[in-house]
Amino acid sequence: MTTVRVNASATVSIETSALVIGIHASPDGPQTAPGADGLDQALGGQLAATLTAMGFTGKAEEIAKFPTFGALPAPIVVAVGLGDAPEGDYKAETLRRAAGAAVRSLAGTPDATFALPAPSATEVEAIALGALLGAYGFSRYQTNGQRKAPVGEVVVLTEAEGAEAAAHRAATLAEAVNLVRDLVNTPPSDLWPAKLAEIAEEAAGKAGLSVDILDEIALKDAGYGGIVGVGQGSTNPPRLVRVAYAHPEAGKTIAYVGKGITFDSGGLSLKPAASMDWMKSDMGGAGAVLGAVLAVARLGLKVNVIGYLCLAENMPSGTAQRPSDVLHTYSGKTVEVLDTDAEGRLVLIDGIARAAEDAPDLIIDVATLTGSQIIALGWRTCAVMSNDDDLREEIVEVAQAQGEGAWGMPLPEELRKGLDSPIADIANLNPERWGGMLAAGIFLREFVPDGVPWAHVDMAGPAFNKGEPHGYTPKGGTGALTRTLFGIAERYAR
């Protein structure tokens, strides 16, 4: 596990395995960013010429490495592009991504020192967090050592006030995000609902959270028809996990509800093979909820946060729910199942109804819910829907500040009619192909009690990176929305 600390030593005198500096793009060629003071002089005034000769321009996340030949205690310098120089303060996300790209390029190096612009605690946190997230690797199942070990220690050079607290906060957030990444990357053969509940219980216990777990018998007895219906086709029965953090000085209570389908085959409405191999990520919403509540507890925010992890495995079998079945959900409403692959919303509505009993000031559900989200917004931007316009925009604002793409989306009333059922209160799917993401949001809204502010975040694409690593984002599980949920809690704590 990568660690982080701060140091106020001069850039040219720090002993380190690799020194990371920031470089800006400009019409006159690469320009050194603040933080690398004295470096050009120590290198004989040849820094810009060396980078230019290497074809380095300073565009964002561009990487160049060169040896110092004894001119510095550090044997190599890593130049990372920061793009054009800002007119004012540096954007936190620019520094996060630069630090992440740099630390990824240094896999196999025992330690690295970052001499990036860090005049305040805000920049220190951004650099430390980007580096810690970028250093993530998942090699649990690799036996031949083909993956290089991540950088072992990150050092941020700074004289900023509050730097140590900023580094600690970054380490706490990174630990939460990387836990979620581990859970998403774990094969479903090793992460079934009861196992995920066990992991959540252990982590929550260490963080001082209260934990309640309902097994399949308790779920059935209490009337959680959505979760039971989705999980009944699997030999691995469902669970509902409630983790709660309370602060004696809290003035607000937030409830988070996460979709936790540990593997989604589609059930009897079977997915095609090409859409199934990454469905271990279908518990990413529950993972984000767990990670966020843990971070809130570890940093002692003055807000009450309750997380619900709605866990099931959606499998086809002789006991699986069938298209045309009617489920009796925890809210008391009935749902006709038209498609068993629209299962995430079925577990969420039970979680939402249960969360409402805690009388929270708001409920936010997060889920890898629809393929329509990816079609509409791509792989990196979540969709945010809400029964409260201000809440929707607030979540988008917090997400973007955290560097997590989010975009507000409507809940068009004309789509509600498509969810009508001739035999139940509502159907789980609009038969029309168009507007599937929005129709799913409308379906969920039907189970939110009147007067309760609620938002739904569809993170189907952002939860799992099927492409190449970028910035501080690895291939595979990303830990998406963990930092956004933490950011919402932090805002309400204030």
Side-chain angles (χ1 to χ4, degrees):
M1 179 179 176
T2 305
T3 60
V4 63
R5 62 183 176 89
V6 296
N7 191 311
S9 298
T11 301
V12 295
S13 62
I14 190 78
E15 293 188 3
T16 181
S17 299
L19 180 65
V20 179
I21 62 170
I23 301 294
H24 288 299
S26 81
D28 299 324
Q31 300 291 320
T32 306
D37 304 322
L39 183 63
D40 187 44
Q41 182 179 357
L43 295 173
Q46 294 300 306
L47 178 57
T50 298
L51 292 172
T52 300
M54 297 173 70
F56 185 88
T57 65
K59 69 179 181 181
E61 300 178 41
E62 186 179 10
I63 297 291
K65 299 179 185 179
F66 57 88
T68 64
F69 298 110
L72 298 171
I76 63 169
V77 170
V78 179
V80 59
L82 298 175
D84 294 339
E87 294 183 1
D89 295 336
Y90 282 84
K91 291 183 178 179
E93 184 65 3
T94 298
L95 297 175
R96 281 192 290 257
R97 292 186 181 185
V103 82
R104 283 193 296 105
S105 76
L106 288 168
T109 306
D111 61 272
T113 296
F114 287 74
L116 297 177
S120 76
T122 299
E123 289 84 7
V124 172
E125 180 184 330
I127 295 165
L129 182 57
L132 291 171
L133 293 177
Y136 173 82
F138 188 76
S139 56
R140 186 180 305 170
Y141 297 92
Q142 294 177 332
T143 60
N144 58 3
Q146 71 263 40
R147 183 190 294 271
K148 293 181 179 179
V151 170
E153 182 184 52
V154 167
V155 179
V156 181
L157 294 184
T158 182
E159 296 181 350
E161 182 178 353
E164 290 188 1
H168 171 69
R169 176 184 157 94
T172 302
L173 290 174
E175 182 181 4
V177 173
N178 288 337
L179 168 64
V180 180
R181 291 171 169 180
D182 280 349
L183 293 173
V184 170
N185 287 328
T186 299
S189 57
D190 286 341
L191 193 73
W192 55 97
K195 182 63 176 179
L196 180 48
E198 177 186 320
I199 292 171
E201 182 176 31
E202 180 180 357
K206 291 180 179 178
L209 304 175
S210 64
V211 186
D212 295 296
I213 300 176
L214 299 183
D215 64 13
E216 69 275 22
I217 297 173
L219 287 168
K220 186 174 182 179
D221 290 345
Y224 289 90
I227 297 175
V228 170
V230 172
Q232 71 187 38
S234 173
T235 56
N236 297 310
R239 295 289 187 270
L240 178 63
V241 181
R242 180 183 186 272
V243 293
Y245 165 76
H247 193 284
E249 299 177 38
K252 298 286 185 179
T253 297
I254 303 173
Y256 294 142
V257 181
K259 173 187 173 183
I261 304 300
T262 56
F263 184 73
D264 182 18
S265 69
L268 291 179
S269 304
L270 196 67
K271 291 180 182 291
S275 300
M276 205 184 297
D277 63 340
W278 55 293
M279 282 298 102
K280 63 181 182 179
S281 68
D282 217 18
M283 42 59 61
V289 167
L290 175 62
V293 179
L294 290 173
V296 168
R298 288 166 180 161
L299 291 174
L301 300 190
K302 295 179 181 180
V303 62
N304 298 328
V305 182
I306 304 167
Y308 286 91
L309 283 59
C310 307
L311 310 179
E313 188 176 60
N314 188 25
M315 298 291 284
S317 74
T319 61
Q321 65 176 349
R322 297 152 290 245
S324 76
D325 276 354
V326 173
L327 304 180
H328 296 263
T329 70
Y330 189 73
S331 68
K333 294 182 179 181
T334 57
V335 178
E336 182 183 11
V337 179
L338 298 183
D339 189 327
T340 65
D341 194 26
E343 85 299 329
R345 63 201 71 184
L346 298 177
V347 302
L348 285 175
I349 58 176
D350 277 349
I352 290 170
R354 174 61 185 89
E357 294 180 347
D358 293 315
D361 292 282
L362 71 156
I363 298 173
I364 300 175
D365 76 73
V366 289
T368 50
L369 204 66
T370 68
S372 299
Q373 177 273 316
I374 301 171
I375 294 172
L377 296 175
W379 289 96
R380 299 190 189 182
T381 304
C382 299
V384 183
M385 292 152 267
S386 179
N387 61 3
D388 183 300
D389 291 345
D390 291 338
L391 176 58
R392 181 188 64 236
E393 296 312 309
E394 182 177 39
I395 294 172
V396 170
E397 179 184 331
V398 171
Q400 291 177 347
Q402 295 288 342
E404 300 195 295
W407 197 258
M409 299 297 285
L411 293 172
E413 292 300 331
E414 65 271 17
L415 293 180
R416 172 60 184 86
K417 184 173 178 56
L419 296 171
D420 286 346
S421 165
I423 62 170
D425 295 327
I426 194 170
N428 78 325
L429 191 73
N430 185 335
E432 290 189 2
R433 178 182 178 186
W434 318 114
M437 174 181 67
L438 309 181
I442 291 171
F443 174 85
L444 294 172
R445 188 188 61 184
E446 293 292 308
F447 296 84
V448 179
D450 292 341
V452 178
W454 156 85
H456 161 60
V457 185
D458 193 337
M459 50 183 278
F464 197 82
N465 177 22
K466 298 185 73 175
E468 292 303 309
H470 55 90
Y472 52 81
T473 302
K475 187 178 181 68
T478 63
L481 266 293
T482 307
R483 290 181 292 135
T484 294
L485 295 181
F486 174 85
I488 291 290
E490 186 173 46
R491 177 170 290 201
Y492 278 75
R494 291 197 290 262

